[in-house]
Structures are given as structure tokens and as C-alpha cells.
Amino acid sequence: MYSLIIVAASLLIIPAYARDIVFPPVAAVHNPSSHQYPLAHEDPIDIVTGSQFSGLTTFANLPYLNCFVDDESTTNNNYDIAFLGAPFDTGVTARPGARFGPKGIRLGSRRLGGWSIYTGENAFASWAKLVDCGDAPLTWLDNTVALKQLDMAHKVVSSRRANSTHLSQIPRIITLGGDHTTTLSALRSTYENWGPVSVIHFDSHIDTWDPKVLGGGVSHYAGVNHGTFLHLAHEEGLIRNTSIHVGIRAPVVRPKGDIRNDLRCGFEIITARDLDRFGVSGLVEQIKSRVGDSRVYISVDIDVLDPAYAPATGTAEPGGFTTRELLTILDALRGMPVIGADVVEVAPIYDTAGETTTLAAAEVANSLLALMVARPVGGDE
């Protein structure tokens, strides 16, 4: 009796327009043969190119190629520009975690692609064949061995003949770090293929410290780290005395000795606050004047950004660039012969839930790619 009363009462609160709705029988809803509910294989659905999140996580969803194993002589495995991960972070003097940087940057890049509203070009639909070679297989337990492995990885990846052979037979590499020590292997590779280069070094630290100063002279092993690699690159003759730092603001260890050694290593300094004095145009003009017409390697430590824009890094320094300022400076370097580049020191474990740092790092790598595509480099340049 009570249940009938409840049912009757519930009918009273149903809107009048809904009382005449006729619901289909349950069998009709679940009947696979119903023409109203076609099977999945009857739909013209593209599951090959229809999703930006399918398959392996590569940079900007580029084709993956095992550049260390796949034979280029039997299939078309040549390329013009390759992304290479360098999962190494045991050369840091502060927070570790950059070994996961390559994975984080790739995740941050998963929506990249299309035509730039700034340049009007699509680097992913250019003359260049692009691939992601995955990560170099590096040991976590021995820095010396790991860096030798990275040296070999760069040598192998750059040894393939480029796809567009009428421009250059040497493919170019964009390295996803990893702590900044990994740039030393990249510079060794570029020297072997292109000779010494001018380095445009975006960072909050100079990274030209003498190993006896940053490493304490404890051992050769300790002296090879993310703050000494540019000193070592100079000692090995890999870089030109026309190099430049951009965004420097961190303290030095010795008030005069470190700056003298930095000059000896071939660098000028643009500080982070110089942007306030000279603006983007002034900074870009100083960079271009410094490197001249030489071949260029661009290395971007993500800590050149202020921690508000890149908290996920090992040695954050307040007072840096905004993401927009950095990207504007990079895009303004268009026309330079960039033969190698990297973005390093991304440690995703310290990032925000919104992936602030990895998204910024992916955009930096995107800008580096655009610079390479904009200036094809021939072997005689």
C-alpha cells in the first residue's frame, strides 16, 4: 500500500512534457544488429593518425627510430634532425632528478605541431626529416662510463647520412637533458663533424668553473660536472673564443678569478637584468655581434627562466627571464647556422601539477628546431 502511494507521488513531480516520453526496450539498446547503433568496424574512424596521444611518447609525436640499432642501408632510416635523450644527473651540485628530464620534456611536447603564429611556418612540415632516437642507454652508477656512453651515442646518431644530402651529409642533433654535463658530449660530437663552434649559453650560472674550484680537486671524476663542462670544452679546443652567456645572475665562487677564467674560456656575459636595460632587441644584437658568422651551438639550461616559470630544476635562481622573453630571444636568432642544440636541467619531480617547466622546456626545444629548419647548413658553410 505504502509503495503504491510513493510511486503515485513520484509521478506527480515528473514534468508534464516528460510524461509522454517512450523509452526503447532494453533489448533494442543493447542489440548489436540495431541500425541505430552500428558496430565500431562500420565507422570510418582513423586510428592511425587520429590521436595525438597514441603510441610511444616521442618529442611532438615524431616517428621513433632506434638510431643505435636500425640499419640505414636496408630501409630509409636517414634523417636530417634527431632528438636524443640524455638521462644523466649525477654531475649536479644541487638537487638531482634531471635524469627524468627527457621523458618530462617529451610529455610536455605532446601538443606541439602546426603553424607558428609568430613565424608563419611549420617546422614539422618542412624540408627536414625529423625523428626521435629515444634515450641514450646510460649507466646510473659510474659517471665516467655514462659520459663515454653518451659520447658514443652522439657519434652514432651523427654518423648516419642525412636524408637531404644536397644540403649536408651530417644530421643535426637536439639533445634533451639530463644535467648540463651532457652538453660536453654534444660539443665533442659537433667538433668532430663541424669543427669548433660559438656557444650561445642560456643559463643563470657561468659553468666555466675550473674543476679545482668546483669539484674541489678531489678527483678527476668529481671535476667533470654541470658547472665545469664549458671549461673542459675550452681546454679540449671544442669551442671558439666568440661564445656568450645569456641570463647570468647566480653568484660566482671567486670574485675575480672566476670571471677571469670565464674570459679565458672565450665568453662574454649578458646578465638577466641586462634585459631590463637593453630590451630584447639589444640583447639579440649583442649575441649576433659576438658570434659573428660562425657556426653556433645553443645550450639552454631551463634555470635561465625565473623559478616562477621553471620551478622544476636543480639549481633555481630567482630573478630570471619569463618564458615569453626567452622564446622571443630564441626566435630572434633566426638565420644563424645552428648545428647543435640542447635544453637541459629539467627535473620533473619538482614541477607543478600544471607541468609548468616541462611545457616551457618543450617550447624551447620547439624554437631550437625552428632555428635549425630555418637555416639549412651545407657542408661548406
Side-chain angles (χ1 to χ4, degrees):
M1 182 65 179
Y2 291 113
S3 60
L4 290 175
I5 294 174
I6 293 173
V7 170
S10 64
L11 288 174
L12 294 176
I13 64 173
I14 298 176
Y17 67 83
R19 294 173 189 168
D20 296 328
I21 294 176
V22 178
F23 293 95
V26 175
V29 175
H30 296 285
N31 184 3
S33 64
S34 172
H35 69 278
Q36 294 179 339
Y37 303 92
L39 294 175
H41 70 265
E42 295 177 356
D43 290 339
I45 300 298
D46 178 7
I47 62 170
V48 177
T49 59
S51 173
Q52 61 181 318
F53 303 110
S54 61
L56 295 171
T57 303
T58 61
F59 184 84
N61 306 296
L62 290 173
Y64 168 70
L65 178 65
N66 189 333
C67 304
F68 312 116
V69 175
D70 291 345
D71 186 359
E72 64 177 326
S73 63
T74 56
T75 57
N76 184 22
N77 285 334
N78 296 330
Y79 44 82
D80 297 301
I81 300 173
F83 287 86
L84 174 65
F88 176 92
D89 66 359
T90 46
V92 299
T93 55
R95 299 184 299 193
R99 70 178 63 180
F100 303 110
K103 180 181 294 184
I105 297 170
R106 289 188 178 103
L107 286 171
S109 75
R110 58 193 181 272
R111 293 184 61 252
L112 290 179
W115 299 86
S116 169
I117 197 169
Y118 298 108
T119 66
E121 297 182 353
N122 183 353
F124 299 94
S126 67
W127 59 269
K129 182 178 178 181
L130 313 175
V131 299
D132 189 329
C133 293
D135 290 353
L138 309 180
T139 180
W140 313 118
L141 303 175
D142 189 309
N143 285 16
T144 302
V145 173
L147 293 175
K148 287 181 178 178
Q149 290 173 322
L150 187 56
D151 286 349
M152 180 59 69
H154 272 279
K155 185 173 183 177
V156 170
V157 173
S158 65
S159 66
R160 291 176 182 261
R161 188 171 58 186
N163 188 61
S164 302
T165 54
H166 65 287
L167 297 172
S168 171
Q169 294 188 353
I170 306 168
R172 291 178 279 177
I173 301 172
I174 298 176
T175 307
L176 308 177
D179 76 49
H180 222 150
T181 317
T182 59
T183 300
L184 182 59
S185 293
L187 290 173
R188 287 168 176 165
S189 173
T190 56
Y191 175 81
E192 185 172 339
N193 289 297
W194 304 90
V197 294
S198 296
V199 175
I200 304 175
H201 174 228
F202 291 87
D203 205 319
S204 61
H205 312 86
I206 57 174
D207 291 350
T208 53
W209 279 285
D210 189 312
K212 294 180 181 178
V213 175
L214 194 67
V218 175
S219 65
H220 174 75
Y221 182 103
V224 182
N225 58 63
H226 71 162
T228 63
F229 72 94
L230 286 175
H231 174 102
L232 297 172
H234 171 266
E235 296 298 295
E236 294 181 20
L238 310 179
I239 61 178
R240 295 166 56 97
N241 290 328
T242 51
S243 299
I244 191 166
H245 305 294
V246 184
I248 302 300
R249 60 190 183 276
V252 294
V253 179
R254 300 174 298 173
K256 295 181 179 180
D258 290 345
I259 302 302
R260 283 198 300 264
N261 187 62
D262 190 66
L263 290 170
R264 187 184 68 83
C265 290
F267 283 86
E268 282 188 358
I269 294 177
I270 296 176
T271 69
R273 296 186 186 183
D274 284 338
L275 180 63
D276 302 321
R277 299 170 59 198
F278 306 115
V280 170
S281 298
L283 263 64
V284 170
E285 182 58 35
Q286 187 173 347
I287 293 170
K288 289 182 175 180
S289 175
R290 176 63 175 171
V291 303
D293 58 357
S294 64
R295 290 169 177 156
V296 168
Y297 185 98
I298 300 179
S299 182
V300 181
D301 186 327
I302 204 63
D303 73 22
V304 73
L305 297 178
D306 189 90
Y309 301 91
T313 189
T315 46
E317 303 285 353
F321 295 158
T322 68
T323 307
R324 186 189 68 253
E325 289 166 347
L326 174 59
L327 294 175
T328 301
I329 295 169
L330 286 173
D331 291 347
L333 301 180
R334 182 182 173 84
M336 285 187 170
V338 180
I339 51 81
D342 62 53
V343 54
V344 299
E345 296 284 354
V346 177
I349 189 65
Y350 310 113
D351 214 356
T352 67
E355 304 173 86
T356 305
T357 311
T358 55
L359 288 170
E363 285 291 349
V364 167
N366 190 32
S367 287
L368 295 173
L369 171 63
L371 292 178
M372 286 190 178
V373 168
R375 177 71 182 269
V377 180
D380 57 349
E381 272 191 77

